[in-house]
Amino acid sequence: MKRTIMILCLLAAMVACVSQKPAAEAWVKVEGNKFIDPQGNEIVFRGLCFSDPVKLVSDGQWTERYFAEAAAWGANIVRFAVHPSNINSMGWDATFEAMDQGIEWAKQHGMYVIMDWHSIGNLKEAKFTNPMYNTDLEETFKFWRTVADRYKDEPAVALYEVFNEPTVTGENTGECTWEEWKGLQEQIIDTIRVYNPNAVCICAGFDWAYDLRPVATMPIERENIGYVSHPYPMKRHQPWEEQWEADFGYVADTYPVICTEIGFCLENEKGAHIPVISTEVYGEHITKYFEKKGISFTVWCFDTDWSPTLIDDWNFTPSTQGRFFKKYLQEAAGKVSADE
């Protein structure tokens, strides 16, 4: 009898252990050219880019209030832009503890999270556009091993953005072919999948994550992935749509696409710089184009300092683009009527 009870207890413990781990059905996944939610429905992500968890902790703004405001704007996803310099300055343990709390706040307010390794430059040659982005292959693999293992049972961390903005043109960033970059991304994806086979990985092209033309002939050879573009207004001259279609939009006919950075500011506004200077006309065109193509997006940047900013102060007063995108996101989320 004692032996039977012990066996039953052991079986119960095993069942409890298994039940604590989310099944594959609990995760966002890719089917064809769509992101699919755990209920089996297409989900279009529309959300906000956070500046950086470490910066926000330093500013005293990594709070439940911050996440509640993002949700109130209508975001269904938020992007954690993790800069190599910042995670090293605050320490990996402290940074991940802060992100643990952030993920809980996101969940409380019904939002998913994009985890973004936020560097700019050539990962193959470890040449970057600014010291704040300095990293290397060893650290990049370490980051993704840590993320994948830590959040392997956390479906709220829906998208793993492999590398923020690959670029090999100008700024002394060296050379890297698309074939080489494709291979590196596949290695990172394989590493992530060792720890979290459910992770949806999203992959960017060159030209500061704008150009996805090579995907037409040489796509990433992995399942459950999407593609990233950052179509800021000055990447191309008006009219934009035909050029967007050729440069990245055509990919959305075959794979999910999420533009993890869009945004604009007026020429005379704080932080105005190439390639983000424009007006609400850009906002109208890019959102209509995304609707037509079923493209997801997050707007840069839900911060008072990093331009183009969405807010002017920590009372969350919207900037010019903030007013446009807040209204758009709220309408898309059904939080306000289009007539308001």
Side-chain angles (χ1 to χ4, degrees):
M1 178 63 72
K2 288 183 179 180
R3 185 171 181 272
T4 302
I5 292 172
M6 288 177 64
I7 291 171
L8 289 172
C9 288
L10 179 59
L11 288 171
M14 291 172 65
V15 169
C17 181
V18 170
S19 66
Q20 289 171 5
K21 295 186 177 182
E25 290 77 15
W27 295 76
V28 168
K29 60 184 177 180
V30 169
E31 288 185 4
N33 65 342
K34 303 182 187 306
F35 295 115
I36 302 297
D37 71 14
Q39 289 72 48
N41 304 309
E42 178 184 2
I43 181 169
V44 176
F45 293 113
R46 300 182 180 96
L48 301 173
C49 296
F50 292 173
S51 53
D52 180 281
V54 174
K55 177 191 184 298
L56 291 160
V57 168
S58 178
D59 290 347
Q61 300 301 330
W62 192 253
T63 62
E64 191 271 338
R65 172 177 174 265
Y66 180 72
F67 283 77
E69 188 68 20
W73 278 43
N76 64 5
I77 195 164
V78 291
R79 180 177 184 244
F80 292 6
V82 185
H83 290 64
S85 60
N86 282 354
I87 194 173
N88 287 309
S89 67
M90 191 163 97
W92 285 58
D93 289 344
T95 301
F96 273 98
E97 287 169 7
M99 292 196 294
D100 292 346
Q101 180 62 77
I103 291 162
E104 289 304 311
W105 286 327
K107 288 164 62 178
Q108 287 175 30
H109 292 282
M111 298 184 295
Y112 287 102
V113 171
I114 301 170
M115 195 64 70
D116 158 42
W117 187 229
H118 200 89
S119 179
I120 303 176
N122 182 348
L123 183 60
K124 186 196 89 172
E125 295 189 4
K127 294 180 178 179
F128 304 99
T129 61
N130 187 291
M132 73 189 299
Y133 305 123
N134 285 354
T135 186
D136 56 28
L137 283 169
E138 182 180 359
E139 184 177 62
T140 299
F141 279 101
K142 175 187 174 184
F143 176 77
W144 285 117
R145 285 195 306 270
T146 306
V147 168
D149 187 40
R150 194 177 188 102
Y151 303 122
K152 62 181 179 292
D153 298 326
E154 183 48 82
V157 184
L159 303 178
Y160 289 41
E161 189 170 354
V162 170
F163 189 89
N164 169 50
E165 288 189 346
T167 188
V168 291
T169 54
E171 302 290 340
N172 300 313
T173 50
E175 297 180 358
C176 181
T177 66
W178 172 257
E179 185 174 11
E180 290 170 326
W181 178 230
K182 169 183 174 293
L184 271 178
Q185 291 187 94
E186 289 168 350
Q187 289 177 44
I188 295 170
I189 292 166
D190 290 343
T191 299
I192 290 168
R193 297 271 169 78
V194 168
Y195 300 90
N196 182 0
N198 296 307
V200 174
C201 299
I202 53 175
C203 304
F206 291 136
D207 191 12
W208 285 265
Y210 173 71
D211 184 6
L212 290 177
R213 288 175 297 174
V215 174
T217 55
M218 201 179 296
I220 305 294
E221 295 178 90
R222 296 296 182 271
E223 299 297 319
N224 214 32
I225 66 147
Y227 287 93
V228 169
S229 182
H230 292 176
Y232 283 111
M234 298 174 76
K235 299 301 291 188
R236 294 290 183 264
H237 296 293
Q238 294 188 59
W240 290 295
E241 283 79 359
E242 186 174 333
Q243 298 169 89
W244 287 338
E245 182 68 16
D247 294 340
F248 71 90
Y250 79 94
V251 176
D253 296 337
T254 309
Y255 306 95
V257 171
I258 178 166
C259 292
T260 54
E261 287 187 25
I262 63 169
F264 70 91
C265 66
L266 305 181
E267 190 171 7
N268 62 351
E269 286 186 306
K270 173 183 177 180
H273 65 281
I274 296 171
V276 305
I277 299 169
S278 191
T279 67
E280 292 91 340
V281 171
Y282 161 80
E284 293 166 359
H285 280 257
I286 197 79
T287 51
K288 287 179 181 176
Y289 182 71
F290 288 168
E291 288 170 7
K292 175 184 175 183
K293 299 291 296 188
I295 291 174
S296 298
F297 68 90
T298 51
V299 190
W300 185 272
C301 177
F302 203 49
D303 191 278
T304 61
D305 300 315
W306 291 7
S307 65
T309 64
L310 284 159
I311 51 176
D312 290 334
D313 54 50
W314 289 113
N315 291 319
F316 302 108
T317 304
S319 63
T320 301
Q321 74 151 350
R323 287 190 295 274
F324 176 87
F325 284 112
K326 181 179 182 180
K327 183 174 185 292
Y328 181 86
L329 289 169
Q330 287 181 332
E331 289 175 0
K335 292 183 178 291
V336 295
S337 72
D339 296 329
E340 288 186 50

